[in-house]
Amino acid sequence: MATFRVVEEGTSSPMAKLLTVQGGKPLEGSVHVRGAKNLVPKAMVAALLGSEPSQLRNVPEIKDVEIVTNLLQIHGVKVDADPVTGDLTLDPRDTYSAAHSEIDAYAGDSRIPILLCGPLMHQNGEAFIPDLGGCRIGDRPINYHLEVLRNFGAVVDKTPTGIHISAPRGLKGAKLTLPFPSVGATEQVLLTAVLAEGITELDNAAVEPEIHDLIAILQQMGAIITVYTDRVIRIEGVERLSGYKHRAIADRNESASWASAALVTQGDIYVKGAAQRDLTAFLNTYRKIGGEFSVDDEGIRFWHAGHALKPLVLETDVHPGFMTDWQQPLVVALTQAHGVSIVHETVYENRFGFTEALERMGASIQLHRECLGSSPCRFGQRNFLHSAVISGPVELTGAEINVPDLRGGFSHLIAALAAKGTSTVTGIEVINRGYEHFMDKLIGLGADVEMSER
Ligand code: EPU
């Protein structure tokens, strides 16, 4: 059986730890972006709900796919993958409960295990969730998830190693309202409600493109899901779901990251697979800063036209707003804009930690506890540095960097690629979680990078 296994590219050793970057060269060429990291693992979990095999296409070779593959396999799902074509077959016809120690060993740093709860309870009557990881960009609690599951009738027991969840009286549809339109909690509701008895109505749901793609998958499987205006989703539970055949939407976060890389390094990158439809808010902002782009049927070309970049005031938001995951690479571009920019982060309370390394590289970035955007957010009256004031342009110089999280790490990397001199980057493995073959892509774009053992 073939499977997805992620190793560091550009080196013979999967243990390589240190990346040396010689900055100052524009990134030029083309990259191919495949299925979205924030959809594919959830689509794989959805296959657990079926009574027949499912087929997923456009699957990227990233760490999160490897983690979910392992988690599904230890629960009895047969996973057959072709990493080259990106085709994945998932057969859930013989699932069973896995040992807690095995789940703990395979869950890695991912937050996906929490989304296995509903499907595993439907299949096996119980689920175990180890203590969760994920990027260090805030507290990242799971209280919405647990509250939602309790409302469906699940019994949640906290144990010293994680959470045991069972449904002794079955799962029943519920009327639910999320305190914030959480992507994960909305997915939790969808993946649980489709086979729950009766009707579920969710208010204040997330409506990101990845949520719509998951709904399309569940509908193919036989689910009845209606998306109303004003963030309301209604799910009519059915007794049985079949499999699906689906091509995952492209990763709009990876697309936006390469777009920022083109701007930061004064380069020119064609992102094959990038979909304009899912990038509207990003493209508007890119244009306002002075970035150029042109769209065709296969992707989007992004480039720096040679004139001065403009500063701007930006607020991250849930879809259809400017996505939080686009913020970090774009902040690096704003260090090159002529004037003062303000970025107000309203989704995560602690997503500016990565700016400390940028400051060491010469950037001028002040963090504030106040909401500096046009509207106050839920972090405003609390003690979080969630607004950034960025003054530019500055000359970035190479530095020693340790990657803090996925998007922050990519941002450090493109800052190093634009900087004068040499940077050394550790902790680079984190980037494998969401950027497929990123070392090969960097080298293909002409980056002067070398991976070695520490
Ligand atoms: N929240 C809670 N309680 C919960 C769940 C969420 O307070 O039980 C809060 C979070 O702390 C955060 C906010 O709600 O402040 C939004 O979190 P959300 O649940 O929407 O995020 P998520 O589902 O954990 C996904 C992506 C993130 C992306 C966000 C927002 C995946 C695997 N992750 O996270 O992606 O930033 O939605 O769009 O889909 C990334 O790709 O780098 C990344 C972090």
Short mmCIF file of all heavy atoms in Angstrom, two decimals, residues 37-38 42 64 111-112 135 137 140-145 180-185 187 208 253 323-325 347-349 351 378-379 406-407, ligand 1:
data_model
loop_
_atom_site.label_atom_id
_atom_site.label_comp_id
_atom_site.label_asym_id
_atom_site.label_seq_id
_atom_site.Cartn_x
_atom_site.Cartn_y
_atom_site.Cartn_z
N LYS A 37 -4.49 22.52 2.58
CA LYS A 37 -4.18 21.90 3.87
C LYS A 37 -5.37 22.00 4.81
O LYS A 37 -5.59 21.10 5.63
CB LYS A 37 -2.97 22.60 4.50
CG LYS A 37 -2.83 22.37 5.99
CD LYS A 37 -1.83 23.32 6.60
CE LYS A 37 -2.11 23.61 8.04
NZ LYS A 37 -3.15 24.56 8.36
N ASN A 38 -6.15 23.06 4.71
CA ASN A 38 -7.26 23.24 5.64
C ASN A 38 -8.55 22.60 5.15
O ASN A 38 -9.61 22.79 5.77
CB ASN A 38 -7.45 24.73 5.95
CG ASN A 38 -6.29 25.26 6.79
OD1 ASN A 38 -5.47 24.47 7.28
ND2 ASN A 38 -6.21 26.56 6.96
N LYS A 42 -9.71 17.19 6.57
CA LYS A 42 -11.12 17.09 6.96
C LYS A 42 -11.89 16.21 5.98
O LYS A 42 -12.79 15.46 6.36
CB LYS A 42 -11.78 18.47 7.04
CG LYS A 42 -11.26 19.35 8.19
CD LYS A 42 -10.12 20.20 7.78
CE LYS A 42 -9.56 21.12 8.83
NZ LYS A 42 -10.02 22.47 8.78
N ASP A 64 0.37 17.10 7.53
CA ASP A 64 -0.97 16.88 8.07
C ASP A 64 -1.69 15.72 7.38
O ASP A 64 -2.47 15.00 8.01
CB ASP A 64 -1.81 18.16 7.96
CG ASP A 64 -1.53 19.12 9.12
OD1 ASP A 64 -0.55 18.88 9.87
OD2 ASP A 64 -2.29 20.09 9.30
N ARG A 111 -4.07 19.41 15.07
CA ARG A 111 -5.33 19.63 15.78
C ARG A 111 -6.47 18.82 15.15
O ARG A 111 -7.61 18.86 15.62
CB ARG A 111 -5.69 21.12 15.73
CG ARG A 111 -4.80 21.96 16.64
CD ARG A 111 -5.14 23.41 16.52
NE ARG A 111 -6.50 23.75 16.89
CZ ARG A 111 -6.94 23.83 18.14
NH1 ARG A 111 -6.15 23.59 19.15
NH2 ARG A 111 -8.20 24.15 18.38
N ILE A 112 -6.17 18.07 14.09
CA ILE A 112 -7.22 17.33 13.37
C ILE A 112 -7.90 16.27 14.24
O ILE A 112 -9.10 16.03 14.08
CB ILE A 112 -6.65 16.68 12.08
CG1 ILE A 112 -6.05 17.76 11.17
CG2 ILE A 112 -7.72 15.89 11.34
CD1 ILE A 112 -7.03 18.78 10.63
N CYS A 135 -0.27 25.08 15.61
CA CYS A 135 0.66 26.21 15.65
C CYS A 135 0.50 27.02 16.92
O CYS A 135 -0.61 27.18 17.43
CB CYS A 135 0.42 27.11 14.43
SG CYS A 135 1.13 26.43 12.93
N ILE A 137 -0.04 30.06 18.07
CA ILE A 137 -0.46 31.39 17.65
C ILE A 137 -1.55 31.92 18.58
O ILE A 137 -2.27 32.83 18.22
CB ILE A 137 -0.93 31.38 16.18
CG1 ILE A 137 -1.97 30.28 15.95
CG2 ILE A 137 0.25 31.20 15.25
CD1 ILE A 137 -2.47 30.18 14.52
N ARG A 140 -5.64 28.53 21.50
CA ARG A 140 -6.27 27.51 20.67
C ARG A 140 -7.05 26.47 21.49
O ARG A 140 -6.77 25.25 21.46
CB ARG A 140 -5.25 26.85 19.76
CG ARG A 140 -4.49 27.90 18.95
CD ARG A 140 -3.88 27.36 17.71
NE ARG A 140 -4.85 27.06 16.68
CZ ARG A 140 -4.53 26.54 15.51
NH1 ARG A 140 -3.29 26.27 15.23
NH2 ARG A 140 -5.46 26.29 14.62
N PRO A 141 -8.04 26.93 22.26
CA PRO A 141 -8.83 26.01 23.07
C PRO A 141 -9.77 25.16 22.22
O PRO A 141 -9.94 25.42 21.02
CB PRO A 141 -9.65 26.96 23.96
CG PRO A 141 -9.72 28.24 23.21
CD PRO A 141 -8.49 28.32 22.35
N ILE A 142 -10.39 24.13 22.83
CA ILE A 142 -11.35 23.30 22.10
C ILE A 142 -12.72 23.34 22.77
O ILE A 142 -13.54 22.45 22.58
CB ILE A 142 -10.85 21.83 21.95
CG1 ILE A 142 -10.49 21.25 23.33
CG2 ILE A 142 -9.68 21.73 21.00
CD1 ILE A 142 -10.28 19.75 23.30
N ASN A 143 -12.96 24.42 23.57
CA ASN A 143 -14.22 24.49 24.31
C ASN A 143 -15.45 24.49 23.40
O ASN A 143 -16.47 23.86 23.71
CB ASN A 143 -14.23 25.71 25.24
CG ASN A 143 -13.91 27.00 24.52
OD1 ASN A 143 -13.19 27.01 23.54
ND2 ASN A 143 -14.44 28.11 25.00
N TYR A 144 -15.39 25.16 22.22
CA TYR A 144 -16.55 25.15 21.31
C TYR A 144 -16.84 23.72 20.85
O TYR A 144 -18.00 23.31 20.76
CB TYR A 144 -16.31 26.00 20.06
CG TYR A 144 -15.96 27.46 20.25
CD1 TYR A 144 -15.49 28.20 19.17
CD2 TYR A 144 -16.09 28.11 21.48
CE1 TYR A 144 -15.16 29.54 19.29
CE2 TYR A 144 -15.75 29.44 21.62
CZ TYR A 144 -15.28 30.16 20.53
OH TYR A 144 -14.93 31.47 20.64
N HIS A 145 -15.76 23.00 20.53
CA HIS A 145 -15.92 21.63 20.04
C HIS A 145 -16.62 20.76 21.09
O HIS A 145 -17.56 20.02 20.80
CB HIS A 145 -14.55 21.01 19.73
CG HIS A 145 -13.84 21.64 18.58
ND1 HIS A 145 -13.80 21.08 17.33
CD2 HIS A 145 -13.15 22.81 18.48
CE1 HIS A 145 -13.10 21.86 16.51
NE2 HIS A 145 -12.69 22.91 17.19
N PHE A 180 -18.13 32.41 18.22
CA PHE A 180 -17.30 33.02 17.17
C PHE A 180 -17.39 32.04 15.99
O PHE A 180 -17.44 30.83 16.21
CB PHE A 180 -15.85 33.15 17.67
CG PHE A 180 -14.93 33.82 16.70
CD1 PHE A 180 -14.88 35.21 16.60
CD2 PHE A 180 -14.10 33.07 15.86
CE1 PHE A 180 -14.02 35.84 15.70
CE2 PHE A 180 -13.24 33.69 14.96
CZ PHE A 180 -13.21 35.08 14.89
N PRO A 181 -17.38 32.56 14.74
CA PRO A 181 -17.52 31.63 13.60
C PRO A 181 -16.27 30.78 13.37
O PRO A 181 -15.52 30.97 12.42
CB PRO A 181 -17.78 32.55 12.40
CG PRO A 181 -17.83 33.94 12.90
CD PRO A 181 -17.35 33.98 14.31
N SER A 182 -16.05 29.85 14.27
CA SER A 182 -14.87 28.99 14.24
C SER A 182 -14.95 27.99 13.09
O SER A 182 -15.98 27.31 12.91
CB SER A 182 -14.78 28.26 15.58
OG SER A 182 -14.14 27.01 15.44
N VAL A 183 -13.86 27.88 12.34
CA VAL A 183 -13.80 26.94 11.22
C VAL A 183 -13.90 25.50 11.75
O VAL A 183 -14.74 24.72 11.32
CB VAL A 183 -12.48 27.14 10.43
CG1 VAL A 183 -12.25 26.03 9.42
CG2 VAL A 183 -12.48 28.50 9.74
N GLY A 184 -13.04 25.19 12.73
CA GLY A 184 -13.01 23.83 13.26
C GLY A 184 -14.33 23.43 13.90
O GLY A 184 -14.81 22.31 13.70
N ALA A 185 -14.92 24.31 14.69
CA ALA A 185 -16.18 23.96 15.37
C ALA A 185 -17.31 23.78 14.36
O ALA A 185 -18.18 22.92 14.53
CB ALA A 185 -16.53 25.02 16.41
N GLU A 187 -16.87 22.65 11.33
CA GLU A 187 -16.61 21.33 10.74
C GLU A 187 -17.04 20.22 11.70
O GLU A 187 -17.59 19.19 11.29
CB GLU A 187 -15.12 21.21 10.41
CG GLU A 187 -14.72 22.13 9.27
CD GLU A 187 -13.23 22.43 9.18
OE1 GLU A 187 -12.50 22.20 10.15
OE2 GLU A 187 -12.81 22.91 8.13
N GLU A 208 -16.04 29.67 5.29
CA GLU A 208 -14.83 29.70 4.47
C GLU A 208 -15.01 28.77 3.25
O GLU A 208 -15.80 27.80 3.31
CB GLU A 208 -13.65 29.19 5.33
CG GLU A 208 -12.85 30.26 6.04
CD GLU A 208 -13.62 31.06 7.10
OE1 GLU A 208 -14.77 30.71 7.40
OE2 GLU A 208 -13.07 32.03 7.63
N ASN A 253 -4.09 29.58 0.99
CA ASN A 253 -3.07 30.15 1.88
C ASN A 253 -1.67 29.99 1.30
O ASN A 253 -0.84 30.88 1.39
CB ASN A 253 -3.14 29.50 3.26
CG ASN A 253 -4.46 29.78 3.92
OD1 ASN A 253 -5.15 30.72 3.53
ND2 ASN A 253 -4.83 28.96 4.89
N MET A 323 -7.97 36.98 5.37
CA MET A 323 -7.71 35.83 6.23
C MET A 323 -6.49 36.00 7.13
O MET A 323 -5.48 36.55 6.70
CB MET A 323 -7.49 34.63 5.32
CG MET A 323 -8.06 33.41 5.88
SD MET A 323 -7.49 32.00 4.99
CE MET A 323 -7.84 30.81 6.24
N THR A 324 -6.59 35.51 8.35
CA THR A 324 -5.48 35.59 9.29
C THR A 324 -4.21 34.91 8.75
O THR A 324 -3.10 35.38 8.98
CB THR A 324 -5.88 35.00 10.66
OG1 THR A 324 -4.71 34.86 11.46
CG2 THR A 324 -6.56 33.65 10.55
N ASP A 325 -4.37 33.82 8.01
CA ASP A 325 -3.19 33.09 7.51
C ASP A 325 -2.43 33.86 6.42
O ASP A 325 -1.30 33.52 6.10
CB ASP A 325 -3.60 31.72 6.96
CG ASP A 325 -4.29 30.89 8.01
OD1 ASP A 325 -3.75 30.76 9.10
OD2 ASP A 325 -5.41 30.41 7.74
N VAL A 347 -8.48 37.40 14.64
CA VAL A 347 -8.88 35.99 14.73
C VAL A 347 -8.09 35.26 15.83
O VAL A 347 -8.67 34.52 16.63
CB VAL A 347 -8.72 35.29 13.37
CG1 VAL A 347 -9.09 33.80 13.48
CG2 VAL A 347 -9.58 35.97 12.32
N TYR A 348 -6.77 35.48 15.87
CA TYR A 348 -5.93 34.87 16.92
C TYR A 348 -5.33 35.97 17.79
O TYR A 348 -4.88 36.99 17.27
CB TYR A 348 -4.81 34.04 16.32
CG TYR A 348 -5.29 32.78 15.65
CD1 TYR A 348 -5.23 32.64 14.28
CD2 TYR A 348 -5.83 31.73 16.39
CE1 TYR A 348 -5.68 31.49 13.65
CE2 TYR A 348 -6.29 30.58 15.78
CZ TYR A 348 -6.21 30.46 14.42
OH TYR A 348 -6.66 29.33 13.82
N GLU A 349 -5.29 35.73 19.09
CA GLU A 349 -4.82 36.77 20.01
C GLU A 349 -3.30 36.93 20.00
O GLU A 349 -2.77 37.92 20.46
CB GLU A 349 -5.32 36.47 21.43
CG GLU A 349 -4.71 35.26 22.15
CD GLU A 349 -5.40 33.95 21.81
OE1 GLU A 349 -6.04 33.85 20.75
OE2 GLU A 349 -5.27 33.00 22.62
N ARG A 351 -0.72 36.30 17.23
CA ARG A 351 -0.13 35.88 15.95
C ARG A 351 0.97 36.82 15.46
O ARG A 351 1.31 36.82 14.28
CB ARG A 351 -1.22 35.73 14.88
CG ARG A 351 -0.84 34.61 13.92
CD ARG A 351 -1.88 34.19 12.96
NE ARG A 351 -1.41 32.94 12.33
CZ ARG A 351 -2.10 32.23 11.48
NH1 ARG A 351 -3.30 32.61 11.11
NH2 ARG A 351 -1.61 31.13 10.95
N ARG A 378 -12.68 41.23 19.90
CA ARG A 378 -12.85 40.60 21.23
C ARG A 378 -11.55 40.55 22.02
O ARG A 378 -11.56 40.21 23.20
CB ARG A 378 -13.49 39.21 21.07
CG ARG A 378 -12.61 38.23 20.34
CD ARG A 378 -13.40 37.17 19.60
NE ARG A 378 -12.54 36.58 18.59
CZ ARG A 378 -12.01 35.38 18.68
NH1 ARG A 378 -12.32 34.61 19.70
NH2 ARG A 378 -11.21 34.94 17.75
N PHE A 379 -10.39 40.90 21.42
CA PHE A 379 -9.14 40.89 22.17
C PHE A 379 -8.80 42.26 22.75
O PHE A 379 -7.79 42.42 23.45
CB PHE A 379 -7.97 40.44 21.27
CG PHE A 379 -8.21 39.13 20.59
CD1 PHE A 379 -7.91 38.96 19.25
CD2 PHE A 379 -8.75 38.05 21.28
CE1 PHE A 379 -8.14 37.76 18.61
CE2 PHE A 379 -8.98 36.83 20.65
CZ PHE A 379 -8.67 36.69 19.31
N LEU A 406 3.86 27.67 11.42
CA LEU A 406 3.81 27.44 9.97
C LEU A 406 3.93 28.73 9.15
O LEU A 406 4.86 28.90 8.36
CB LEU A 406 2.49 26.72 9.65
CG LEU A 406 2.21 26.40 8.21
CD1 LEU A 406 3.21 25.41 7.67
CD2 LEU A 406 0.79 25.87 8.06
N ARG A 407 2.97 29.63 9.33
CA ARG A 407 2.96 30.86 8.50
C ARG A 407 4.09 31.81 8.93
O ARG A 407 4.69 32.48 8.10
CB ARG A 407 1.62 31.58 8.61
CG ARG A 407 0.41 30.72 8.34
CD ARG A 407 0.30 30.26 6.91
NE ARG A 407 -0.69 29.19 6.82
CZ ARG A 407 -0.78 28.32 5.83
NH1 ARG A 407 0.06 28.37 4.81
NH2 ARG A 407 -1.71 27.38 5.82
N1 EPU B 1 -11.69 29.05 19.25
C1 EPU B 1 -12.07 28.92 20.57
N2 EPU B 1 -12.56 27.72 20.98
C2 EPU B 1 -12.66 26.64 20.14
C3 EPU B 1 -12.27 26.79 18.78
C4 EPU B 1 -11.79 28.00 18.36
O1 EPU B 1 -11.98 29.88 21.35
O2 EPU B 1 -13.11 25.57 20.58
C5 EPU B 1 -11.13 30.33 18.79
C6 EPU B 1 -9.65 30.19 18.41
O3 EPU B 1 -8.82 30.25 19.55
C7 EPU B 1 -9.46 31.35 17.45
C8 EPU B 1 -10.82 31.43 16.76
O4 EPU B 1 -11.76 30.73 17.58
O5 EPU B 1 -9.21 32.52 18.17
C9 EPU B 1 -10.87 30.86 15.37
O6 EPU B 1 -10.37 29.53 15.38
P1 EPU B 1 -10.89 28.43 14.35
O7 EPU B 1 -11.60 27.37 15.11
O8 EPU B 1 -11.61 29.11 13.24
O9 EPU B 1 -9.53 27.87 13.80
P2 EPU B 1 -9.16 26.36 13.52
O10 EPU B 1 -10.28 25.62 12.92
O11 EPU B 1 -8.46 25.78 14.70
C10 EPU B 1 -8.44 26.71 11.02
C11 EPU B 1 -7.17 26.55 10.25
C12 EPU B 1 -6.22 27.67 10.62
C13 EPU B 1 -6.88 28.99 10.29
C14 EPU B 1 -8.23 29.11 11.04
C15 EPU B 1 -8.98 30.37 10.69
C16 EPU B 1 -7.06 24.17 9.98
C17 EPU B 1 -6.37 22.90 10.31
N3 EPU B 1 -6.59 25.26 10.57
O12 EPU B 1 -8.07 26.59 12.39
O13 EPU B 1 -5.08 27.50 9.81
O14 EPU B 1 -6.05 30.05 10.68
O15 EPU B 1 -9.05 27.97 10.72
O16 EPU B 1 -9.32 30.40 9.34
O17 EPU B 1 -7.99 24.20 9.19
C18 EPU B 1 -2.85 27.76 9.19
O18 EPU B 1 -3.20 27.24 8.12
O19 EPU B 1 -1.71 28.26 9.41
C19 EPU B 1 -3.83 27.80 10.27
C20 EPU B 1 -3.51 28.12 11.53
#
